[in-house]
Amino acid sequence: MRKFLALTKVQLKSGAISTTDGTIKQWKKILLYIFLLVCMLPTLVLIALGFYHGFDFMRTFGQAGYLMNIGYLITAIIIFLFSIFAIPSIYYFSKDIDQLLTLPIQPEMILTSKLVVCIIYEYLFTAAVLIPMYGSFVMQIGFSFLSLLVFLIIFITLPIYPLVLSSVLTMIIMRFVPFFNNRDRFNLIGGVVVVIAAMSLSFWLQTMNTQDMSSIIQALMDGNNSLMQIGTILFPFIPAASIATYYGDFLQLFLYLGILVISFIVFLFCGKFLYFQGAIGSSETSHSRRKFSNKQLKESTHHSVFRTYVIKEFKILFRTPVFFTNCVLTALLMPIIFSIAIITSLDGLDIKSIITPQMIDQLPHVWAYVLVISFIVGGFMGGMNMISATAISREGTNAYFMKYIPVPISTQVLAKATCGIILSIFSSWLLLIPIHLVIEYPIYLDLIFLLGSALSTIIINLASILVDSHRPKLVWEQETAAVKQNMNGFISMLFSFLFAAVCIALLYMLWVTVVICAVVLLIAQIILVIVLYRSIKNASNRLLNSI
């Protein structure tokens, strides 16, 4: 037990899932967390209101307890989906694996310590869903000390099952499928599978047929909280957890804990017999043995320095699985998600036969509306891919190399931002494809959209890389931390949301016409691009001194 506690303490201190750089002062961390909490308050309020009115509505059918099932199910699904991608990086591909494997420590002890660390860091998300759920339950149904005690036990233990499930699946794959015993392959394929699975789940929920809805409505009308008995094959503990919380039933609580104990025993068994065989050699990455001829080397020197650096950045983004799935793939899938949402919402309705290009062209000031919309879309897409927001952070401990190569820091920073700008513009322009499939309109509106979206995309990417230049996250154990656990990406998304909010607010002001709104935003964005472009040089000098 002493070894286990010491190992767990080391795992926590190493910051395997740290959200801040180790060089940030403590008071800055506190301010950052307060800022993030304030930003999350609207979301927490919406969650609480959803559960509050949900309990009130479901109580009329005698099914108020089913809200417990929904809250626990949402929490378990989100933890499971995210852990599918995070668990391999923590268990197999972190930098401490080579040292831990040489120590006289049992494999199940290593895995359990890492599991405990993962559970601790999942409490933040768990609290964001379950605390508003239980608070709404108390206000609508009533308070019970037994129910509160059961809820606290379930709150502490809920992340165990989804994390154990993803851990067991990962260990089986790493042991018996040698193809995946490579960090790059596993991260790339695993990340794509997780994203596709999430999209498929969303599409399935949107396309539930009428018969399914009828059966659900019939179950609702039965009353007596009969829906609470409904469980899932993937998460069989949910009915027991819901009934135990709603009624303060300790028998159901023991059933819930029994399921967790069985799953943990399976986890230890797999760790003992599968982990070492899959972990040995997993820290290796793929490499190319390609040889360049003298002719190819001479041709490569004909390109400009800026172009060469942009190509180099794109190669890193596409060849590093974590960067590809979190930065590139997200931006490319957004138009697909948008297309699916449009097609499923129309339900076969032919808009082209109703609205003609001539009707659109006759709308007053249609160009101004399109321009403002393009500003909003471009700003939103500019903050989604996080390429510019993590450009410096992705260098990690190799950032000092930026000082040694004969390329100005400002040129390197602008080249990194250009990658984000190009991909953001490309993903924004892809959104025109599903729109053209639904409705026909004059081609000049496309040109206006291309101009406006490109301008706002440039602003968001330049602002994002300025943030990352000011506070890069250069200390991380694995590539995942540079992207997923980097607050600069979150700040970039806040910028994009704020930018869109300003455009919408200005558009809906009664004393501003759409033409004035479009012109003011256009002039303001041109000025902002010039200011941000010039600020890159000062930020680059500051970055040069800080590395």
Side-chain angles (χ1 to χ4, degrees):
M1 178 60 69
R2 188 176 62 180
K3 289 183 179 180
F4 171 74
L5 294 176
L7 184 59
T8 305
K9 185 178 180 180
V10 170
Q11 294 286 331
L12 287 170
K13 283 190 174 181
S14 63
I17 319 179
S18 175
T19 55
T20 57
D21 197 311
T23 60
I24 297 179
K25 295 181 180 179
Q26 190 65 29
W27 67 271
K28 289 186 177 181
K29 288 184 182 181
I30 296 175
L31 289 179
L32 179 61
Y33 291 143
I34 294 175
F35 172 74
L36 294 176
L37 178 60
V38 172
C39 293
M40 289 297 296
L41 282 178
T43 303
L44 297 177
V45 171
L46 289 176
I47 294 174
L49 289 176
F51 279 111
Y52 181 82
H53 294 291
F55 278 115
D56 188 31
F57 175 77
M58 297 292 285
R59 187 167 52 181
T60 59
F61 300 98
Q63 300 287 355
Y66 189 63
L67 266 294
M68 294 283 185
N69 294 58
I70 295 177
Y72 288 139
L73 181 62
I74 291 174
T75 307
I77 288 177
I78 298 299
I79 292 176
F80 175 71
L81 289 178
F82 279 94
S83 63
I84 286 179
F85 187 72
I87 288 296
S89 300
I90 297 171
Y91 287 9
Y92 291 90
F93 305 134
S94 59
K95 292 183 178 180
D96 62 347
I97 290 299
D98 292 334
Q99 289 77 25
L100 292 175
L101 294 179
T102 59
L103 296 176
I105 304 176
Q106 295 176 338
E108 53 267 35
M109 184 177 295
I110 297 175
L111 285 174
T112 305
S113 66
K114 289 181 174 292
L115 178 67
V116 170
V117 174
C118 293
I119 291 172
I120 292 174
Y121 281 97
E122 289 295 344
Y123 285 147
L124 183 62
F125 171 76
T126 305
V129 177
L130 297 188
I131 291 180
M133 179 196 75
Y134 189 76
S136 301
F137 165 77
V138 171
M139 288 186 286
Q140 287 284 12
I141 308 300
F143 175 78
S144 168
F145 177 76
L146 293 179
S147 175
L148 176 61
L149 182 60
V150 170
F151 171 74
L152 293 176
I153 295 174
I154 294 177
F155 176 85
I156 295 173
T157 57
L158 183 67
I160 295 177
Y161 185 90
L163 289 174
V164 164
L165 182 61
S166 58
S167 300
V168 171
L169 291 175
T170 300
M171 284 188 280
I172 293 174
I173 292 175
M174 292 295 292
R175 175 62 183 90
F176 296 107
V177 187
F179 176 78
F180 287 103
N181 198 9
N182 176 278
R183 180 172 65 176
D184 291 346
R185 290 197 204 108
F186 194 102
N187 286 344
L188 178 59
I189 299 175
V192 173
V193 168
V194 169
V195 173
I196 294 176
M199 290 178 57
S200 302
L201 178 62
S202 176
F203 182 74
W204 176 76
L205 291 175
Q206 291 184 17
T207 55
M208 291 179 65
N209 56 45
T210 307
Q211 183 178 358
D212 294 333
M213 295 303 296
S214 300
S215 61
I216 292 175
I217 293 174
Q218 182 61 41
L220 284 173
M221 300 303 295
D222 291 339
N224 298 322
N225 282 321
S226 57
L227 284 177
M228 294 182 71
Q229 303 290 339
I230 299 176
T232 62
I233 298 176
L234 196 60
F235 305 107
F237 66 90
I238 288 179
S242 302
I243 296 174
T245 306
Y246 192 87
Y247 295 106
D249 190 338
F250 277 84
L251 182 61
Q252 293 292 330
L253 176 64
F254 292 145
L255 176 61
Y256 161 80
L257 294 177
I259 296 174
L260 295 190
V261 170
I262 294 173
S263 66
F264 186 70
I265 292 174
V266 174
F267 169 79
L268 294 178
F269 180 82
C270 293
K272 183 175 182 179
F273 294 101
L274 301 178
Y275 181 63
F276 272 174
Q277 292 85 346
I280 295 175
S282 62
S283 59
E284 298 176 358
T285 57
S286 60
H287 64 280
S288 174
R289 296 183 181 275
R290 180 184 176 187
K291 295 182 179 180
F292 291 91
S293 63
N294 292 332
K295 182 181 179 180
Q296 290 174 321
L297 290 174
K298 290 180 181 180
E299 289 178 353
S300 64
T301 60
H302 293 166
H303 302 315
S304 66
V305 173
F306 184 82
R307 178 186 173 185
T308 303
Y309 204 94
V310 171
I311 294 174
K312 186 267 294 184
E313 285 294 314
F314 269 122
K315 287 182 178 180
I316 294 176
L317 284 171
F318 279 87
R319 291 177 178 176
T320 307
V322 174
F323 299 158
F324 176 78
T325 54
N326 289 277
C327 298
V328 179
L329 188 62
T330 304
L332 295 180
L333 287 177
M334 285 297 293
I336 299 176
I337 298 174
F338 186 71
S339 303
I340 294 175
I342 290 179
I343 294 173
T344 54
S345 62
L346 291 176
D347 196 19
L349 182 64
D350 187 10
I351 301 296
K352 291 183 179 180
S353 61
I354 301 176
I355 302 177
T356 63
Q358 293 76 17
M359 294 174 59
I360 296 177
D361 195 27
Q362 293 176 358
L363 294 175
H365 311 306
V366 63
W367 65 270
Y369 283 104
V370 172
L371 186 60
V372 175
I373 293 173
S374 68
F375 292 154
I376 298 172
V377 173
F380 178 78
M381 296 304 298
M384 284 294 100
N385 57 52
M386 297 192 298
I387 293 178
S388 298
T390 60
I392 310 299
S393 299
R394 293 196 306 267
E395 296 289 339
T397 55
N398 296 323
Y400 66 88
F401 182 73
M402 299 176 64
K403 300 173 66 173
Y404 295 158
I405 60 176
V407 180
I409 293 289
S410 59
T411 302
Q412 298 182 53
V413 173
L414 287 173
K416 290 176 177 292
T418 300
C419 294
I421 292 171
I422 292 175
L423 189 62
S424 300
I425 290 176
F426 180 72
S427 58
S428 299
W429 293 355
L430 282 179
L431 293 175
L432 293 176
I433 296 177
I435 295 177
H436 273 289
L437 295 176
V438 174
I439 189 172
E440 292 183 359
Y441 53 86
I443 194 66
Y444 76 89
L445 296 179
D446 278 341
L447 300 177
I448 294 175
F449 180 87
L450 299 181
L451 170 65
S453 60
L455 193 59
S456 56
T457 293
I458 292 173
I459 291 175
I460 297 299
N461 279 272
L462 290 180
S464 299
I465 204 165
L466 281 174
V467 173
D468 199 45
S469 300
H470 178 69
R471 52 183 307 275
K473 181 182 177 66
L474 302 179
V475 181
W476 40 264
E477 290 288 326
Q478 49 199 0
E479 292 93 344
T480 307
V483 181
K484 283 191 172 183
Q485 296 152 23
N486 191 344
M487 290 302 172
N488 295 341
F490 182 73
I491 294 173
S492 174
M493 286 190 286
L494 287 180
F495 279 157
S496 64
F497 294 154
L498 180 62
F499 184 88
V502 170
C503 295
I504 295 174
L506 188 60
L507 179 63
Y508 279 93
M509 285 183 180
L510 297 178
W511 52 272
V512 176
T513 65
V514 65
V515 176
I516 296 177
C517 175
V519 173
V520 168
L521 287 175
L522 180 62
I523 296 175
Q525 287 188 88
I526 293 174
I527 296 174
L528 194 56
V529 167
I530 297 174
V531 172
L532 291 172
Y533 179 81
R534 293 185 176 181
S535 301
I536 292 290
K537 185 175 182 180
N538 296 330
S540 302
N541 294 331
R542 190 165 55 246
L543 176 64
L544 180 65
N545 296 328
S546 62
I547 296 178

